[in-house]
Amino acid sequence: MISRRQTRRVTVGAVAVGGDAPIAVQSMTNTDTRNPDATLAQIARLADAGCEIVRVAIPHADALPGFAEICAASPLPVVADIHFDHRLAIEATRLGAAKLRINPGNIGSLDRVDAVIEAAGAAGIPVRIGVNAGSLATEYQDRDWPLAQKLFASAVSYCEHISGLGFEDIVVSAKASSVNSTIEAYRLLTNELPYPLHIGVTEAGTSLSGTVKSSVGLGVLLAEGIGDTLRVSLTADPVEEVIVGWEILSALDIRRRGPELVSCPTCGRCEVDMVPIAQEVERRLRSMRTPVKVAVMGCAVNGPGEARDADVGVASGRGVGLLFRRGEVIRKVPEAEIVDALMAEVEALDRELRAAEK
Amino acid sequence: MISRRQTRRVTVGAVAVGGDAPIAVQSMTNTDTRNPDATLAQIARLADAGCEIVRVAIPHADALPGFAEICAASPLPVVADIHFDHRLAIEATRLGAAKLRINPGNIGSLDRVDAVIEAAGAAGIPVRIGVNAGSLATEYQDRDWPLAQKLFASAVSYCEHISGLGFEDIVVSAKASSVNSTIEAYRLLTNELPYPLHIGVTEAGTSLSGTVKSSVGLGVLLAEGIGDTLRVSLTADPVEEVIVGWEILSALDIRRRGPELVSCPTCGRCEVDMVPIAQEVERRLRSMRTPVKVAVMGCAVNGPGEARDADVGVASGRGVGLLFRRGEVIRKVPEAEIVDALMAEVEALDRELRAAEK
């Protein structure tokens, strides 16, 4: 249904970004890079949650030895995130970075940007030109333009400069904390540049408001076919960013990781206690990787229809649940046994599907 | 930036829906309607969170006396949600319902639908024709069409029938648990029908996945100017539905209720413990109604830019925070005092703004 915008393809370690590669989910560590053990432990948790590319900050030179250790041991390709000091970026290309992220606007001069690009070219790794509303190119900062236009103009001018050096291994982002400005900036970029786009809403906020802002902003862009890799920004454990990123891709049926759970809003028609049942089913589904569709429904209105449409479903009423498997009623179970009975069916189907894959 | 689709205007109690009326946030009680005290207590909590229209289920005739009590005492207009038994809908029009919600597909026959419409006309209240993927019109249920087409065709055929009776006080919804099908169904409806649209993704799931699915689905529709009232469906406390509904409208700058908080994702550059600071600021902002923009930023990269752009902001680094008010640096505070100092500025600004309003 969604027609994806065509972009060039780059590779970040073993992960392709752009072209017709799957839209990659990424996040960023918030541990101290000088502590490689803590950072690698966080990367392991991120990988487990489905993170495919991880970004690590190098704020000062004293983070470089840790960064090298992290690159050597990380199961995911590592992106070096560098601001202000271009020498850190050049060092990072020699220490195992799979990609650089810089914002040329705060690197100091175009000569310094050129030195970074030369080092990336020598290492054969791509560079993300990451423009943010909080650090725009100085020549556009004070113009009386809409923010989206300033973000767009900053990103395009840097890309043109770098492309002029013969370097095309570029990924572009242009993020604002305003969802509308972010959407508009990416719409402009997708029509102008051939490079893969890294999409995200920056400084999106705490778990709840950040989840909503990222879902709305990235949802609108992805529904228009825009975006080759995404990061959800939350002021929270970065594992949550990865979970939300996958939920956004699943919501639009772009990519799915593991099962889908459909559950009804509870209402005055509900005759079983749905919230704990749905939460427990969601928790137990989290470790599964097979893309089964599971429905947990609380009444006779939409329940049987949705439960029938799922691979495994339960439609409840008056303290009992009617179990469905692929559209067929299997049996009736008492309320207290709904979760176990449903999960037994889901796990049986999961085993069958995994056996069939082999 | 968003150009809203034009629809007719109806009124639900004192709340206008459609035309150029603000997009109304609604929810549904999940208490037992036979217990008016519990239901009214929930309605009070919903109203406090910003709910503007509340829906209450009438599953059986024994809920009718409670429904009458609820309508008489509710601070919000009450919508009667009825399935299967058209006599309950007719009774509800006499007991104070501000609107009916039926799905003609499960009312039994068009004669019964006609009787409901006649009663609504006599009471002078609108009717929502609420089609769901789980209960489609029988004539379309088994067609080999995409789900969006079946939802659309069901809704249009009912609307045409009802309009043929001379009744135009209609609101329409066509919800599926699939975000793409929901989006597509509403795109078709907005081009065909003049009636206001109630938008939502049904059976969206538990808090996290439901929040993402609703934010993506409603975000895409609202960004296209589609939707006159919304309900977020979550398998959770309905107060959460209202909070998420407002977050979606705020994300697109369509409507805002209270302050906006911009906070950075934490990363390896962060030198203060941002997550608890941002969460505590979010918690304290929740009771405020003035639309101030507050930024809580953890480093020197995007921090000063975003903090400067906010009404009140803090950019932190190495255990201290630099406080900004409307672009000007006010002072430096130690990490432990950031929240109190920031909130003191926010509250002072809130008082000024409220004084200026009077």
Side-chain angles (χ1 to χ4, degrees), chain A:
Chain A
M1 258 182 76
I2 297 170
S3 158
R4 175 119 168 250
R5 304 296 186 110
Q6 275 310 302
T7 56
R8 280 171 194 267
R9 183 185 172 113
V10 304
T11 53
V12 182
V15 179
V17 171
D20 50 15
I23 296 167
V25 173
Q26 51 176 292
S27 184
M28 186 169 183
T29 54
N30 64 2
T31 46
D32 190 326
T33 307
R34 290 171 298 188
N35 184 341
D37 289 344
T39 305
L40 284 164
Q42 192 173 64
I43 291 174
R45 288 175 55 235
L46 288 167
D48 210 47
C51 185
E52 297 169 305
I53 298 172
V54 68
R55 185 153 49 110
V56 172
I58 306 182
H60 310 289
D62 59 3
L64 288 168
F67 182 77
E69 268 193 60
I70 293 161
C71 290
S74 170
L76 302 179
V78 179
V79 182
D81 191 78
I82 285 130
H83 294 270
F84 309 123
D85 187 346
H86 73 293
R87 293 165 303 181
L88 300 175
I90 294 168
E91 275 306 308
T93 65
R94 298 173 184 146
L95 299 176
K99 178 182 167 193
L100 299 180
R101 181 272 163 117
I102 59 168
N103 181 347
N106 65 30
I107 284 294
S109 71
L110 284 180
D111 282 353
R112 292 178 178 175
V113 172
D114 295 355
V116 173
I117 295 300
E118 196 188 327
I125 61 173
V127 176
R128 168 155 69 99
I129 302 305
V131 177
N132 274 65
S135 45
L136 287 165
T138 44
E139 61 264 48
Y140 300 112
Q141 215 158 44
D142 298 320
R143 299 223 184 175
D144 191 22
W145 289 356
L147 176 57
Q149 189 68 35
K150 294 193 215 182
L151 287 162
F152 167 72
S154 295
V156 169
S157 73
Y158 295 135
C159 287
E160 283 175 352
H161 174 80
I162 293 166
S163 175
L165 305 172
F167 187 91
E168 297 287 350
D169 234 7
I170 301 172
V171 177
V172 181
S173 67
K175 303 185 189 179
S177 61
S178 151
V179 173
N180 284 327
S181 298
T182 304
I183 292 171
E184 194 52 32
Y186 280 100
R187 283 178 179 157
L188 294 168
L189 286 172
T190 204
N191 290 326
E192 183 75 16
L193 296 175
Y195 309 115
L197 297 179
H198 164 120
I199 58 174
V201 177
T202 195
E203 291 104 37
T206 56
S207 288
L208 176 66
S209 67
T211 296
V212 172
K213 282 174 85 169
S214 289
S215 301
V216 169
L218 302 190
V220 169
L221 289 171
L222 292 166
E224 295 179 12
I226 299 171
D228 299 288
T229 178
L230 66 81
R231 182 204 177 186
V232 171
S233 299
L234 300 177
T235 309
D237 182 343
V239 167
E240 278 189 52
E241 300 184 343
V242 174
I243 294 171
V244 172
W246 277 101
E247 290 282 351
I248 294 170
L249 292 173
S250 305
L252 288 165
D253 278 329
I254 292 172
R255 290 183 77 187
R256 191 173 294 287
R257 189 167 183 271
E260 174 182 17
L261 173 62
V262 168
S263 65
C264 64
T266 56
C267 75
R269 287 193 298 267
C270 208
E271 291 166 320
V272 299
D273 193 6
M274 285 294 300
V275 177
I277 292 176
Q279 282 173 340
E280 178 60 15
V281 171
E282 180 176 56
R283 197 187 64 74
R284 295 206 204 171
L285 289 175
R286 206 155 263 166
S287 61
M288 286 178 50
R289 288 290 153 264
T290 320
V292 290
K293 183 172 176 182
V294 180
V296 175
M297 304 293 298
C299 82
V301 173
N302 300 311
E306 287 285 354
R308 232 180 260 282
D309 185 48
D311 293 309
V312 180
V314 62
S316 307
R318 310 213 173 188
V320 296
L322 206 56
L323 267 187
F324 289 77
R325 182 174 157 147
R326 300 222 158 131
E328 304 295 324
V329 176
I330 311 176
R331 65 180 188 282
K332 205 177 263 191
V333 292
E335 178 170 354
E337 292 166 29
I338 286 176
V339 174
D340 287 337
L342 182 81
M343 287 308 302
E345 290 301 330
V346 172
E347 282 153 16
L349 186 62
D350 178 52
R351 279 191 298 277
E352 283 170 36
L353 290 169
R354 282 187 293 126
E357 259 180 22
K358 279 175 194 163

Side-chain angles (χ1 to χ4, degrees), chain B:
Chain B
M1 256 182 77
I2 297 170
S3 155
R4 176 118 168 251
R5 305 296 186 109
Q6 276 310 302
T7 56
R8 281 171 194 267
R9 183 185 172 110
V10 304
T11 53
V12 182
V15 179
V17 171
D20 49 15
I23 296 167
V25 174
Q26 52 177 292
S27 182
M28 186 168 183
T29 54
N30 64 2
T31 45
D32 190 326
T33 307
R34 290 171 299 189
N35 184 341
D37 289 344
T39 306
L40 284 164
Q42 192 172 63
I43 292 174
R45 288 175 57 235
L46 288 167
D48 211 45
C51 184
E52 297 169 304
I53 297 172
V54 67
R55 186 153 48 110
V56 172
I58 306 182
H60 310 289
D62 59 4
L64 288 169
F67 182 78
E69 269 193 60
I70 293 161
C71 291
S74 170
L76 302 178
V78 179
V79 182
D81 192 77
I82 285 131
H83 294 269
F84 309 122
D85 186 347
H86 74 293
R87 293 165 302 182
L88 300 174
I90 294 168
E91 275 306 308
T93 65
R94 298 172 184 146
L95 299 176
K99 179 181 166 192
L100 299 180
R101 181 271 163 118
I102 59 168
N103 180 347
N106 66 30
I107 284 295
S109 71
L110 284 180
D111 283 354
R112 290 177 179 175
V113 172
D114 295 355
V116 173
I117 296 299
E118 195 188 328
I125 60 173
V127 176
R128 170 156 68 100
I129 302 305
V131 176
N132 274 64
S135 45
L136 287 166
T138 44
E139 61 265 48
Y140 300 111
Q141 214 157 44
D142 298 319
R143 299 223 185 175
D144 190 20
W145 288 356
L147 176 57
Q149 189 67 34
K150 294 193 213 182
L151 286 163
F152 167 71
S154 296
V156 169
S157 73
Y158 295 135
C159 287
E160 283 175 351
H161 174 80
I162 293 167
S163 174
L165 304 172
F167 188 91
E168 297 287 349
D169 233 5
I170 300 172
V171 177
V172 180
S173 67
K175 302 186 191 179
S177 61
S178 152
V179 172
N180 284 327
S181 298
T182 304
I183 291 171
E184 194 51 32
Y186 280 100
R187 283 177 178 157
L188 294 169
L189 286 172
T190 204
N191 290 326
E192 183 75 16
L193 296 175
Y195 309 116
L197 297 178
H198 165 120
I199 58 173
V201 177
T202 195
E203 291 104 36
T206 55
S207 289
L208 176 67
S209 67
T211 296
V212 173
K213 283 173 84 170
S214 289
S215 301
V216 170
L218 303 190
V220 169
L221 290 171
L222 292 167
E224 294 179 12
I226 300 171
D228 299 287
T229 177
L230 65 82
R231 184 206 176 183
V232 170
S233 297
L234 300 176
T235 308
D237 182 341
V239 167
E240 279 190 50
E241 301 185 342
V242 174
I243 294 171
V244 172
W246 277 101
E247 291 281 352
I248 294 171
L249 292 173
S250 304
L252 288 165
D253 279 330
I254 292 172
R255 290 182 77 185
R256 191 173 294 286
R257 189 168 184 272
E260 174 182 16
L261 173 62
V262 168
S263 64
C264 64
T266 56
C267 75
R269 287 191 301 267
C270 210
E271 291 167 318
V272 299
D273 193 7
M274 284 295 300
V275 178
I277 293 177
Q279 283 173 340
E280 178 60 16
V281 170
E282 180 176 56
R283 197 187 64 73
R284 296 206 204 170
L285 288 175
R286 205 155 264 164
S287 60
M288 286 178 50
R289 288 290 153 264
T290 320
V292 290
K293 183 172 176 181
V294 179
V296 176
M297 305 293 297
C299 82
V301 173
N302 299 312
E306 287 285 353
R308 233 180 258 282
D309 185 49
D311 292 309
V312 180
V314 63
S316 307
R318 309 214 173 185
V320 296
L322 206 57
L323 267 188
F324 289 77
R325 182 175 158 148
R326 300 225 160 127
E328 304 294 326
V329 176
I330 311 177
R331 65 180 188 281
K332 205 177 262 192
V333 292
E335 178 170 353
E337 292 166 29
I338 287 176
V339 174
D340 287 338
L342 183 81
M343 288 307 302
E345 290 301 329
V346 172
E347 282 152 17
L349 185 63
D350 179 53
R351 279 192 298 275
E352 282 171 36
L353 290 168
R354 282 188 292 124
E357 258 181 21
K358 278 174 195 163

